[in-house]
Amino acid sequence: MRFGIVGTGALGLLFGAGLAAAGEEVHFWTRTAWQAELLLREGISWGRGGHADQRVHLPGSLFSASPLEENAISEVQPPDWIFLTVKQRDLTEELLQLIANMQDEHTGVVCFQNGYGHMERVEKAMRYGSPYAALTTEGAKRQDGRAVVRSLTGETRLGQVGSRPQPGMNKNAENLTAVLVKAGFPAFLSNDIVKEIYRKLLINAAINPLTALWRIPNGELLMDSERLELMNELIDEALIIYDEYELPYDSDVKEQIMDVCRTTAGNISSMLSDVLQGKATEIDYINGYLVEMARTAGIQALRHEVVWKLVKGLASG
Ligand code: PAF
């Protein structure tokens, strides 16, 4: 199967390296010429931990790479799947146009971003079909331009979002999950991906801003009654918005979120990681998105509004 990986951060490198190591045809589209050259020259170092014996070296001869530019796109065959692994904030109109130019009528696009607001924009830009959302609990941390550590083997759920089916795409998506499994990434097709996206939004809206503000790993949210109380309040406030929009959620969703804190106890959330690296966070697309939903429905979401502003203030500082 042929893959185009757009975005060579932690998830892009992890999935791309795993797929290339399993014999799939992978092209990495990088932001800079420097990173494409580095990947081709030195290959990718990936695996479980920091020790040499836990790491796998994937030579640059087993994949291709180039900077994402208009004139490079015609030189690479259209892939079966484009994995869009950039952050939501990097999904500019220019990037979406380049993605559209990579597609032929058989190419599927898989979006790995947190949040929901971007799916419609991606669909609008695509030449053919509707995008797939990928919800993954894989834990990955990029060490440098060519090295990624897989801290947690998670699961990846895929499902199409939108209303423009492509002929043969369901079969292709089944094949995709089989290829991912063969490459060591547990993957499933979901028949209720929208519910799952909103479940993930709730998880991110409760865990990410608090871990980023308090600079603690996910598990420490459960270690203190004030932290727990505020997390519960964020969840309750989000559920009022969900009820207003008649969005489905499980009755034990709070317990599920506590479970995520337990199973990822030692991990730092993606938002804390962005804050620690001085990068812009995804707060606009998570708590900011909930606040916009609340405003549109004419209800208040004061706690989400406060954490949104606090985290935004951190990033600009
Ligand atoms: O964004 C993240 O970091 C993750 O989605 C999650 C589940 C909160 C775990 O860290």
Side-chain angles (χ1 to χ4, degrees):
M1 212 172 246
R2 196 176 301 125
F3 290 88
I5 309 284
V6 178
T8 42
L11 279 183
L13 283 182
L14 178 69
F15 277 97
L19 288 163
E24 306 302 329
E25 212 180 303
V26 174
H27 187 91
F28 290 98
W29 291 103
T30 60
R31 196 198 297 258
T32 60
W34 169 84
Q35 197 193 5
E37 280 159 25
L38 178 76
L39 290 173
L40 291 173
R41 193 177 60 241
E42 299 195 13
I44 299 174
S45 162
W46 66 293
R48 273 243 154 254
H51 297 295
D53 57 350
Q54 295 171 300
R55 309 202 51 79
V56 183
H57 178 250
L58 180 78
S61 53
L62 293 186
F63 57 84
S64 53
S66 46
L68 182 54
E69 287 160 6
E70 184 61 59
N71 52 7
I73 288 177
S74 53
E75 287 165 20
V76 177
Q77 279 201 2
D80 298 300
W81 292 97
I82 298 170
F83 277 13
L84 211 41
T85 51
V86 296
K87 296 267 175 151
Q88 201 179 135
R89 61 171 179 261
D90 295 322
L91 287 175
T92 58
E93 291 310 311
E94 191 191 353
L95 184 126
L96 292 177
Q97 191 51 54
L98 293 171
I99 302 299
N101 293 347
M102 269 179 212
Q103 252 199 313
D104 75 6
E105 63 272 37
H106 307 296
T107 307
V109 176
V110 185
C111 300
F112 281 78
Q113 293 70 29
N114 279 331
Y116 187 61
H118 58 296
M119 296 302 293
E120 218 174 290
R121 287 181 52 230
V122 176
E123 174 165 35
K124 223 162 138 200
M126 283 169 61
R127 285 200 179 157
Y128 308 97
S130 299
Y132 279 74
L135 297 174
T136 186
T137 52
E138 288 286 343
K141 190 161 172 15
R142 195 176 96 154
Q143 290 189 309
D144 59 36
R146 54 166 294 272
V148 61
V149 174
R150 189 180 195 182
S151 52
L152 188 80
T153 300
E155 329 178 313
T156 302
R157 293 181 177 269
L158 297 152
Q160 202 167 25
V161 177
S163 52
R164 292 193 317 200
Q166 279 155 286
M169 217 46 188
N170 291 345
K171 188 85 206 122
N172 293 356
E174 273 170 31
N175 292 341
L176 172 64
T177 54
V179 165
L180 283 168
V181 170
K182 188 180 127 237
F185 299 106
F188 310 87
L189 281 183
S190 162
N191 47 24
D192 205 350
I193 196 75
V194 174
K195 178 175 172 192
E196 296 199 35
I197 292 173
Y198 277 104
R199 176 178 170 273
K200 180 85 192 301
L201 180 69
L202 204 54
I203 293 172
N204 291 132
I207 297 178
N208 294 23
L210 299 184
T211 51
L213 288 166
W214 288 322
R215 302 195 176 214
I216 52 173
N218 298 346
E220 288 198 22
L221 283 173
L222 307 178
M223 304 295 175
D224 177 288
S225 59
E226 262 77 33
R227 293 176 188 164
L228 258 176
E229 197 177 317
L230 189 50
M231 184 161 65
N232 275 306
E233 286 170 4
L234 282 173
I235 301 170
D236 288 336
E237 208 173 74
L239 291 181
I240 294 175
I241 305 170
Y242 278 32
D243 286 342
E244 198 64 28
Y245 282 83
E246 297 174 11
L247 293 171
Y249 55 87
D250 295 329
S251 55
D252 65 343
V253 68
K254 268 193 186 169
E255 197 36 50
Q256 292 178 15
I257 295 175
M258 307 299 153
D259 268 348
V260 174
C261 292
R262 278 178 215 114
T263 49
T264 63
N267 285 17
I268 61 167
S269 70
S270 51
M271 197 169 284
L272 174 55
S273 166
D274 283 341
V275 167
L276 293 175
Q277 292 174 68
K279 289 189 187 161
T281 69
E282 295 188 299
I283 194 78
D284 285 350
Y285 312 109
I286 299 174
N287 303 80
Y289 183 70
L290 288 172
V291 171
E292 288 305 331
M293 285 173 79
R295 284 183 188 158
T296 307
I299 53 176
Q300 285 197 322
L302 286 178
R303 288 172 189 79
H304 287 281
E305 197 150 348
V306 169
V307 294
W308 180 23
K309 285 180 186 158
L310 284 171
V311 173
K312 265 190 103 88
L314 275 184
S316 40

